[in-house]
Amino acid sequence: MKIHMPVLTAAAALVAGLGTALQVQAQEAFASEVTNMFRGEAPGSQPGEWYGGSLTGSFPVVFTPAQAQTAVLGAADGIFTTLPGVGPQEPGTAFRGAYIEVGFGRNFGAETVLTVYEAIRSDEEASIWVWFLDGGFLQLSTEGRAGDAVQFDLRSYADVLASHGGAFTRVGIGGVDVGGSSQGFDLDAVSITPIPEPETYALMLAGLGAVAARGWIKRARSKEA
């Protein structure tokens, strides 16, 4: 039996495409609920007042607490809540800037990438708290990280996580300063994305590749018959 080169090329392309699909198969899960929020002592037009805006509209505009919550839930859409801060604080002291904490409807582990979406990244920073199952937390920072989608690979903290209950439960974001045109960290969305094990990729690629090859060979045979 002779298998034509176009058939082999098409099969190889399909297998390569399956590999790409597997790399993105881990579903990005966006925050679905706000579990805590406070306005802090950061400056604003009125004490305790929230504000934010939209990339397609005007900003900053006054938000109700409900609007502030809605703006940071779901996928990144350019509608943001601004989190102003009071500058760097001493470790271990109570946070005094604006803070919003979100959950995902489930706990998650260290084999995860955490992404914090910031709508207008212009000289403003945030502190990130990833809360452990036992009530402790891991504190991170956006300082020095470029781009509007700031990512943290949580695999680096697997050992710490194991000693604190084995799971993360929620993520808090607090503004550090009043930089930028809307005076604070413009939080758009927060997500978690599981990272599949390398062995999972290899097994699935091998199986799907074999199925794809059999299909193309069968088709080639039927054409030569």
Side-chain angles (χ1 to χ4, degrees):
M1 182 194 70
K2 180 180 179 181
I3 302 176
H4 297 293
M5 185 59 67
V7 174
L8 288 174
T9 302
L14 177 59
V15 172
L18 289 170
T20 301
L22 282 171
Q23 291 179 12
V24 298
Q25 71 168 348
Q27 185 65 42
E28 184 176 20
F30 287 91
S32 59
E33 59 179 338
V34 172
T35 55
N36 190 14
M37 61 188 293
F38 53 82
R39 183 59 176 73
E41 302 171 19
S45 56
Q46 295 291 333
E49 187 173 76
W50 294 89
Y51 59 92
S54 168
L55 291 176
T56 58
S58 58
F59 62 86
V61 295
V62 175
F63 275 179
T64 65
Q67 288 173 317
Q69 292 184 35
T70 300
V72 303
L73 298 179
D77 56 7
I79 302 173
F80 58 88
T81 294
T82 300
L83 303 175
V86 296
Q89 296 183 215
E90 290 295 324
T93 61
F95 188 72
R96 294 164 45 218
Y99 173 90
I100 286 182
E101 186 180 284
V102 298
F104 303 87
R106 61 181 176 87
N107 296 338
F108 56 102
E111 297 292 321
T112 305
V113 170
L114 167 66
T115 306
V116 178
Y117 291 88
E118 207 271 357
I120 312 171
R121 194 68 182 278
S122 54
D123 301 321
E124 63 264 26
E125 305 296 341
S127 288
I128 313 296
W129 288 264
V130 188
W131 291 91
F132 297 122
L133 188 63
D134 67 358
F137 61 84
L138 171 68
Q139 188 168 349
L140 308 169
S141 173
T142 65
E143 185 177 4
R145 293 176 177 262
D148 292 339
V150 182
Q151 294 190 321
F152 302 90
D153 188 337
L154 298 181
R155 288 176 295 183
S156 303
Y157 308 100
D159 290 343
V160 179
L161 177 61
S163 65
H164 284 275
F168 296 113
T169 60
R170 58 200 190 283
V171 176
I173 304 92
V176 171
D177 49 45
V178 289
S181 54
S182 56
Q183 296 190 345
F185 189 84
D186 301 312
L187 180 62
D188 191 344
V190 186
S191 74
I192 53 171
T193 307
I195 304 171
E197 295 287 346
E199 293 81 2
T200 302
Y201 283 138
L203 288 173
M204 293 184 70
L205 278 173
L208 290 172
V211 171
R214 283 199 298 269
W216 287 112
I217 291 171
K218 183 177 181 181
R219 223 177 256 186
R221 284 175 172 169
S222 64
K223 287 182 179 179
E224 291 181 350

